[in-house]
Amino acid sequence: MKYILAIDQGTTSTRAHIYNQSGECVHGVSAEFPQIYPEPGWVEHSPQDIWGSTLSVIDSVLSESGLKAADIAAVGITNQRETTIVWDRATGEPVYNAIVWQCRRTAASCEKLKKEGFAERIYNKTGLVPDAYFSATKIKWILDNVDGARERAERGELCFGTVDTFLLWKLTGGKAFSTDYTNAARTMLFNIHTLKWDKELLRLFDIPEGILPEVRPSSHNFGEITEGELAGVPVCGIAGDQQASLFGQACFSEGDIKNTYGTGCFLLMNTGKKPVKSANGLITTLGATATDKPCYVLEGSVFVGGAVVQWLRDGLKVIKNAAASERAAKKVADSGGVYVVPAFTGLGAPYWDSDARGTITGITRGTTKNHIIRASLESIAYQVYDIVAAMERDSGIKIKRLSVDGGASANNFLMGFQSDILAAEVVRGRHSESTALGAAYLAGLNCGFWKSDEEIRKNRSIERVFKPDMDEGERLKLLDGWKEAVKKARLK
């Protein structure tokens, strides 16, 4: 029996998982690596730490499982999106640290783009809003601020890549210089309609086209590994983490939607063969597919999802661990009219209000810590509702079922309340982390390990389905209260 190995290179750790034919993880390992904060609001990683942790988890997962390269049919890669690395084409040495997706050093230049009237043009081509989140201004910053980098780039001596491209380059000994549609779509340089690097945007950001990788479908034979324990095994799948999660949840049909409950929340809806232009503060981007035909998705992000539980634990110190939040929430019949709006760093989609601030409303003399804990958990579900409602308005598709994964999806109270407030089913799979699984599926479909999307659908194992059980009048009353609380949190 052969297996698929998935490399999941995340923001704080790198993981490797081995999957069998049934889509079950037979073994997985993880390795954390350091975060670098040179200045307030700046976030970097050492590319060598990323590479070293990748080699480490590959070695560990093979040795601990007793498998060798000959047992692995193919490798899939999924990665933290937008994080930017520029390196020397001849030596593979980075010219600067990786600038992480969270880094805000280029926020001022993005605001300048908006003021100069470029926002609509950028959105029409890329589906993105000008923001420091994306790669384009990070690349420009490196070329402008690292001695000699711009001249070297113009001479064709440098390469740019998101983390997937850097790992592919290193794994193949510099033979493969490629990315996939999902990662290219997050750079703010890739035209999601023509599926090509956009020359007008390259001129706008002053980036030489010669430093950019080739762009391929997510399920594709990207090249054979020559370095380390996996020498001889092909890399057959690449996708950004959230698109890999959508694929791992088997959201293959138009209208399928998933939410990952992590530190934040990431909602993606498959909108099919045509891009849907958002009028409600969402991003239009490309999804992962097993063919060369594009799949479009709408995406919305909640800044503070599971992080509100960390705040309850570390900030307010009213719970000892995440599991205690569910027990506390169940000790009261409802939130007692209390609403928590966790706008600790502003509000994400669909509001995009960086000036909003965290707010607790509705406190009375009878309010207890359990009411505040319950309201904090409910705030995650309300924020998800706001994005789902925006997606319904943009797409014209009524959401009847939400697939979920991520750490906070294990909270039964939260999932039940989420179902009630959406008036839709919430479906939790047996595998709470579907990102690596999606990368494995993309690789396995390309190499023939799995034959079709339908086979993958049959692999999907549902652990629990939460069904709505709330009176419609009560649901609408709660939502009205949430809307009023959000108004109070917004300073403008």
Side-chain angles (χ1 to χ4, degrees):
M1 179 184 287
K2 287 212 170 190
Y3 301 87
I4 300 291
L5 189 149
I7 299 166
D8 182 357
Q9 204 299 300
T11 308
T12 59
S13 67
T14 305
R15 296 166 289 279
H17 298 272
I18 294 174
Y19 293 93
N20 65 16
Q21 198 84 39
S22 301
E24 295 171 335
C25 180
V26 298
H27 197 68
V29 298
S30 176
E32 292 188 359
F33 58 90
Q35 308 294 298
I36 302 167
Y37 305 103
E39 293 186 27
W42 292 28
V43 190
E44 297 178 359
H45 294 155
S46 162
Q48 303 299 11
D49 286 343
I50 291 174
W51 173 232
S53 66
T54 301
L55 288 179
S56 172
V57 295
I58 289 171
D59 290 350
S60 296
V61 80
L62 289 174
S63 63
E64 291 176 19
S65 63
L67 298 176
K68 300 188 182 306
D71 300 309
I72 307 300
V75 168
I77 297 173
T78 183
N79 57 287
Q80 51 168 313
R81 301 176 303 175
E82 298 95 20
T83 295
T84 296
I85 306 174
V86 176
W87 67 93
D88 186 283
R89 188 181 291 271
T91 67
E93 288 297 313
V95 304
Y96 189 78
N97 276 339
I99 301 181
V100 180
W101 60 273
Q102 298 160 315
C103 186
R104 303 304 296 173
R105 77 185 65 190
T106 62
S109 61
C110 291
E111 288 304 313
K112 186 168 179 282
L113 285 169
K114 291 177 187 175
K115 287 176 182 173
E116 291 174 351
F118 288 106
E120 186 174 1
R121 195 178 313 176
I122 288 170
Y123 178 82
N124 287 338
K125 288 171 176 284
T126 68
L128 310 177
V129 295
D131 195 90
Y133 188 14
F134 306 111
S135 308
T137 56
K138 301 180 196 294
I139 303 169
K140 182 175 177 5
W141 189 94
I142 291 173
L143 297 185
D144 288 345
N145 288 276
V146 175
D147 284 347
R150 179 163 294 286
E151 292 75 20
R152 292 168 68 192
E154 288 170 353
R155 291 196 299 266
E157 296 172 8
L158 300 183
C159 298
F160 150 74
T162 41
V163 172
D164 59 301
T165 302
F166 179 69
L167 290 181
L168 179 67
W169 172 278
K170 298 289 279 184
L171 287 167
T172 61
K175 291 187 174 71
F177 183 40
S178 302
T179 189
D180 84 305
Y181 289 154
T182 68
N183 279 294
R186 313 297 295 193
T187 61
M188 216 156 58
L189 297 171
F190 190 71
N191 191 312
I192 62 171
H193 309 287
T194 64
L195 303 182
K196 295 182 185 301
W197 297 115
D198 192 275
K199 294 185 186 301
E200 183 185 2
L201 294 178
L202 291 172
R203 286 193 296 272
L204 176 64
F205 292 103
D206 197 15
I207 294 171
E209 189 169 1
I211 72 169
L212 303 175
E214 293 181 312
V215 186
R216 306 292 190 191
S218 299
S219 186
H220 179 83
N221 189 329
F222 289 89
E224 191 174 283
I225 294 172
T226 61
E227 308 298 307
E229 294 296 318
L230 288 173
V233 180
V235 176
C236 291
I238 291 177
D241 53 10
Q242 297 309 319
Q243 286 98 330
S245 171
L246 188 72
F247 201 85
Q249 293 268 23
C251 294
F252 304 140
S253 301
E254 187 175 338
D256 286 351
I257 182 173
K258 74 90 191 175
N259 183 36
T260 296
Y261 295 82
T263 301
C265 291
F266 296 90
L267 283 89
L268 274 72
M269 176 198 272
N270 184 331
T271 62
K273 297 175 183 177
K274 292 183 179 179
V276 172
K277 187 170 183 177
S278 177
N280 294 282
L282 303 177
I283 287 167
T284 307
T285 193
L286 288 166
T289 69
T291 71
D292 59 359
K293 292 182 175 143
C295 164
Y296 292 92
V297 300
L298 280 171
E299 178 175 335
S301 301
V302 169
F303 292 162
V304 178
V308 77
V309 180
Q310 295 169 334
W311 170 70
L312 292 171
R313 182 192 65 197
D314 304 332
L316 294 188
K317 300 188 186 301
V318 292
I319 57 171
K320 289 186 177 179
N321 51 50
S325 66
E326 181 174 352
R327 294 193 295 271
K330 289 179 176 177
K331 287 180 180 177
V332 289
D334 53 42
S335 69
V338 175
Y339 288 88
V340 174
V341 183
F344 304 146
T345 56
L347 286 169
Y351 303 103
W352 296 110
D353 186 348
S354 59
D355 293 324
R357 285 298 173 263
T359 307
I360 304 177
T361 68
I363 295 175
T364 67
R365 181 63 183 81
T367 299
T368 68
K369 70 176 183 179
N370 292 330
H371 290 106
I372 292 172
I373 292 167
R374 181 173 177 130
S376 296
L377 289 177
E378 290 178 352
S379 76
I380 302 172
Y382 285 129
Q383 291 177 98
V384 169
Y385 167 85
D386 285 339
I387 294 180
V388 169
M391 287 180 170
E392 289 181 334
R393 290 194 296 273
D394 280 336
S395 68
I397 299 170
K398 174 66 179 169
I399 304 305
K400 297 179 180 176
R401 168 176 274 220
L402 175 69
S403 296
V404 300
D405 64 5
S409 70
N411 188 309
N412 291 328
F413 167 77
L414 173 58
M415 294 300 99
F417 188 77
Q418 185 72 83
S419 175
D420 283 341
I421 216 68
L422 287 177
E425 289 184 352
V426 169
V427 181
R428 184 171 66 199
R430 193 156 51 86
H431 306 294
S432 65
E433 302 295 339
S434 58
T435 304
L437 181 59
Y441 279 149
L442 288 162
L445 284 166
N446 180 263
C447 72
F449 189 79
W450 290 291
K451 305 300 181 189
S452 66
D453 289 355
E454 191 53 41
E455 185 180 351
I456 287 171
R457 274 200 185 95
K458 288 177 182 175
N459 271 350
R460 182 154 162 72
S461 177
I462 304 302
E463 187 264 326
R464 184 167 173 182
V465 177
F466 297 84
K467 297 188 177 183
D469 186 30
M470 181 181 283
D471 176 77
E472 181 67 2
E474 176 67 10
R475 185 178 83 91
L476 294 175
K477 179 183 173 185
L478 289 173
L479 287 169
D480 284 342
W482 167 252
K483 288 170 189 171
E484 287 302 311
V486 169
K487 284 180 188 174
K488 291 170 184 173
R490 302 181 74 181
L491 304 179
K492 291 180 181 176

